[in-house]
Amino acid sequence: MSLDPQTLALVRIAAATATGDESKLRNRMIAARGAGVPPLWVEELLLQSFLNVGYPLALVAFGVWRSVAGGGPVQDGGEPIAHPDWERWTKRGVEACAEVYGRTYHKLMLNLRALHPAIEALVVVDAYGKILGRPGLDSKRRELCTLAAIAMQNAPRQLHAHLRGALNTGSTRDDVDEVIAVVEDDLSKERALKLWEMWADVRERALDAK
């Protein structure tokens, strides 16, 4: 096993968040606390879940977390969302997004602009600058949790991108193997097989690129 128990526990919460199953969420959050996952990591995961699974499911997960953890949000290591720092968000967003997408970053920007001119700023500034570039959780764990959440959804292009993104942010192929083995428990056999097939393709391409 290459990933530490705390990271795997976090990944399990990310997958459960995408399902909206409160019982599953509660059990996995309790298990994460037992595994010694820092509460700040959970808070940051749930914040990025607004991007990965949408407001309704993220709010459900936050409600369960508050009942499990008790008390208010953890502030140490985080930062306020509502502050007028557009230039820093933009710079941080470009850096974080480029780390995830690697050599395909500029192609991504062109594709986003082609969809709608407002989407580039939403992705770079709001998603990566405001949320995914926050302190409190490193980019490797953030991307593994993003991968887990996206795997629960019918979004093959985004899933393919985040399989690559996991490698771009420092995960090994064995790390990704472990994450997929964790999330396949929440998938149908057909969906799990497609996930493994897609990962085999990405993994082979990554080996060829060495």
Side-chain angles (χ1 to χ4, degrees), residues 15 18 145-155 159 179-180 183-184 186-187 191 195:
C145 289
T146 295
L147 173 59
I150 298 299
M152 298 295 107
Q153 303 169 59
N154 185 23
L159 178 58
V179 169
I180 295 176
V183 302
E184 72 175 331
D186 294 315
L187 296 171
R191 290 279 299 277
L195 173 56

Side-chain angles (χ1 to χ4, degrees), residues 1 20 34 54 56 61 67 113 123 130 143 150 153 164 179 189:
M1 183 176 291
S67 69
R113 291 168 199 160
V123 170
K130 289 183 180 180
E143 188 61 13
I150 298 299
Q153 303 169 59
R164 294 197 315 267
V179 169
K189 290 183 179 180

Side-chain angles (χ1 to χ4, degrees), residues 6-49:
Q6 291 79 18
T7 298
L8 289 174
L10 203 66
V11 165
R12 290 187 177 95
I13 294 174
T17 299
T19 71
D21 186 324
E22 293 191 31
S23 177
K24 187 178 291 185
L25 273 166
R26 183 178 304 278
N27 290 338
R28 294 185 184 184
M29 287 173 174
I30 291 171
R33 286 172 64 82
V37 175
L40 181 61
W41 290 9
V42 179
E43 305 258 323
E44 290 298 321
L45 162 62
L46 297 184
L47 283 175
Q48 76 179 52
S49 294

